[in-house]
Amino acid sequence: MLDAIDSFILHLATERGLSTNYQLLVRRVLEALASWLKQDRQVETADAVTQQHLGDYLARRKKDGIAASSARVELVAVKIFFRWLAARGKRVGDPAEAILPPRLEKHLPGTMNEGDARKLVESITGNDPLDRRDRAILELFYASGLRLSELIGARLENLSLEEGWIRVTGKGAKTRLCPVGGAAKEAIEAYLQHARPSLVKRKKTQSHLFLSQLGGSLTRERVWQIVKKRAQLAGLGDHVHPHLLRHSFATHLLNNGADLRVIQEMLGHADIATTQIYTHVDQKRLKQVHRQFHPRA
């Protein structure tokens, strides 16, 4: 079977032109399968492998604790290998053809409750330039549901506090308008008037909305550190991160009656299915809606 694997990897390299990293991944998967077949099933040739063998191996991998996403990747490697063997006449039939990929687990995003979100943003009360900057960052994250990359890339020319909007560029270089709520507007105004001017450095500063102490744009790591630090100082532990604020933004809108399509637009999701993950409202909310709207509740 190892000879067959070598021939298949050569095919991926020369005829398919796939990357070295992908070749190494496929080789690792197939050699692990070959080793298991030899030790546990005394099968050493590819033409002797059955669907039952492959099913048993995948079950073994699941028992070992492999994630469903990783199992799917491994199954793809196994499928294209045996499909290639069958197409080249190196064995009769494809034992992997009927095997279905495992279902991916749906991990619900974590959120903060509304009280903790308010506690976080209102915990910064100082007038130091960095205090004002950090307050504005947290308020904008929570008010607009921005991605981390969108907040870092936010620029002055795309901000209209008078109209309450900020234009950001998200995934796929798509731009959208995001609302800036009243509390965020006040925090950003205070930052622009009393903090940002002191952070400006002639040679380093461009038009980024949020600046570092050195006058340049903030890095992803630095914003992550800011959110973590401010959450810890507010007594909220170390589980708070920028994307948690985005999740909280969407969940709190939904819990308070916002339309899912509107939330999709504000988040910049291309597919409504991505936004539907936020429909995990709690049982209390579900019961409340049922009592309010069902005719026989």
Side-chain angles (χ1 to χ4, degrees):
M1 188 163 172
L2 293 179
D3 290 339
I5 293 173
D6 287 339
S7 298
F8 179 61
I9 298 301
L10 183 62
H11 160 75
L12 294 182
T14 58
E15 297 183 38
R16 301 276 304 272
L18 297 176
S19 69
T20 301
N21 285 340
Y22 187 73
Q23 295 171 44
L24 291 173
L25 169 64
V26 172
R27 178 181 289 278
R28 184 167 62 248
V29 170
L30 295 179
E31 288 182 348
L33 170 62
S35 176
W36 180 86
L37 286 169
K38 181 178 180 180
Q39 294 177 12
D40 284 61
R41 295 297 186 270
Q42 290 73 53
V43 172
E44 298 189 38
T45 58
D47 61 346
V49 179
T50 66
Q51 181 178 329
Q52 185 64 49
H53 290 146
L54 297 180
D56 290 345
Y57 177 69
L58 294 172
R60 174 74 261 178
R61 296 290 289 145
K62 182 178 181 180
K63 190 174 181 180
D64 289 339
I66 185 174
S69 57
S70 299
R72 290 172 73 97
V73 171
E74 293 192 4
L75 180 57
V76 167
V78 172
K79 277 179 170 289
I80 61 175
F81 174 60
F82 283 101
R83 186 186 307 141
W84 177 80
L85 288 175
R88 294 297 176 94
K90 296 179 181 292
R91 62 157 290 139
V92 177
D94 179 357
E97 183 178 9
I99 299 179
L100 298 176
R103 295 180 63 180
L104 291 176
E105 304 97 336
K106 290 187 177 181
H107 296 289
L108 296 178
T111 62
M112 306 172 68
N113 62 50
E114 294 182 31
D116 283 347
R118 187 181 305 109
K119 181 179 180 181
L120 174 61
V121 295
E122 293 179 355
S123 66
I124 307 174
T125 57
N127 294 324
D128 177 89
L130 297 185
D131 287 333
R132 292 185 184 275
R133 180 201 65 187
D134 294 356
R135 173 70 181 262
I137 286 174
L138 292 175
E139 290 279 14
L140 186 58
F141 262 139
Y142 182 49
S144 304
L146 301 187
R147 298 181 177 95
L148 176 54
S149 59
E150 294 168 349
L151 182 128
I152 292 171
R155 305 181 78 90
L156 293 174
E157 62 266 26
N158 294 327
L159 174 67
S160 176
L161 290 179
E162 296 80 9
E163 297 182 6
W165 293 98
I166 184 169
R167 184 183 297 275
V168 297
T169 302
K171 290 183 177 180
K174 294 180 180 179
T175 61
R176 71 181 190 282
L177 289 175
C178 295
V180 178
K185 179 180 177 181
E186 291 179 8
I188 293 173
E189 285 178 337
Y191 161 70
L192 292 177
Q193 292 178 16
H194 306 293
R196 191 179 186 279
S198 65
L199 298 174
V200 170
K201 302 292 186 294
R202 182 183 301 178
K203 294 184 179 181
K204 289 189 175 183
T205 300
Q206 299 179 16
S207 64
H208 291 94
L209 175 58
F210 296 111
L211 302 177
S212 69
Q213 285 181 281
L214 299 178
S217 61
L218 291 167
T219 64
R220 296 177 65 91
E221 293 76 15
R222 184 65 191 117
V223 176
W224 189 282
Q225 291 169 358
I226 289 170
V227 174
K228 284 278 189 183
K229 174 187 174 184
R230 294 300 184 176
Q232 290 173 344
L233 291 175
L236 299 175
D238 60 358
H239 70 286
V240 180
H241 52 83
H243 216 63
L244 186 71
L245 292 171
R246 177 173 162 87
H247 294 324
S248 301
F249 161 83
T251 302
H252 296 168
L253 279 174
L254 188 65
N255 286 353
N256 285 288
D259 181 82
L260 197 63
R261 285 288 183 185
V262 175
I263 298 174
Q264 177 192 1
E265 290 295 326
M266 287 191 280
L267 290 172
H269 287 160
D271 189 345
I272 189 66
T274 309
T275 317
Q276 284 174 337
I277 196 170
Y278 293 105
T279 57
H280 65 289
V281 293
D282 58 33
Q283 294 298 315
K284 181 178 179 181
R285 168 68 175 164
L286 287 175
K287 291 178 180 178
Q288 176 187 342
V289 171
H290 184 268
R291 283 196 302 268
Q292 183 177 353
F293 297 106
H294 195 280
R296 296 182 66 84

